[in-house]
Amino acid sequence: QVQLVESGGGLVQAGGSLRLSCAASGGTFSSYVMAWFRQAPGKEREFVAAIFWSGDMAYYADSVKGRFTISRDNAKNTMYLQMNSLKPADTAAYYCAARMLTNFGDIYSDTTYDYWGQGTQVTASS
């Protein structure tokens, strides 16, 4: 059973930075696509970024391009999200997600991911 555990959330002033981590276990992660989603109170969950575990292909939501960077450390089975220049609009619960490479659904849609972490809260205050 695949398990995903996020960490690194917190409270930061607007303009500040945070790095989220997602520790993965229970699977062969070279065969997975990994992603970050976020959900603010009263809003639907939205795509933030995704990365192919076995390569360097990465995808970003327009709202975070140039500010957020997704990466992974294969040796540690860990994915990261470096968040710079945080804005109050980035405030949300951030979730780590995973799906098999053989799943050819929309990479930007949360319905195509099979495994989820419990979430970590990020708050950027103005």
Side-chain angles (χ1 to χ4, degrees):
Q1 181 69 19
V2 172
Q3 292 188 324
L4 304 174
V5 180
E6 303 98 333
S7 61
L11 173 64
V12 65
Q13 287 191 331
S17 299
L18 284 173
R19 189 177 80 156
L20 305 184
S21 299
C22 172
S25 62
T28 305
F29 294 97
S30 60
S31 300
Y32 282 78
V33 176
M34 305 290 293
W36 290 98
F37 286 80
R38 67 186 182 187
Q39 188 168 22
K43 295 187 177 181
E44 293 186 352
R45 189 159 51 187
E46 65 174 0
F47 173 82
V48 176
I51 190 167
F52 282 71
W53 198 267
S54 59
D56 294 328
M57 294 179 65
Y59 303 82
Y60 296 93
D62 288 342
S63 59
V64 306
K65 280 181 183 176
R67 300 188 299 122
F68 291 10
T69 303
I70 190 171
S71 63
R72 80 276 186 264
D73 184 331
N74 291 350
K76 295 182 178 180
N77 275 358
T78 300
M79 176 178 67
Y80 304 98
L81 185 69
Q82 178 65 42
M83 304 185 295
N84 299 328
S85 302
L86 281 161
K87 305 174 181 180
D90 296 317
T91 295
Y94 282 70
Y95 297 90
C96 171
R99 71 179 205 192
M100 294 290 289
L101 279 175
T102 51
N103 179 345
F104 296 108
D106 183 357
I107 198 170
Y108 300 97
S109 172
D110 63 348
T111 62
T112 67
Y113 289 81
D114 302 307
Y115 305 101
W116 292 86
Q118 82 288 351
T120 186
Q121 179 67 34
V122 171
T123 302
S125 63
S126 58

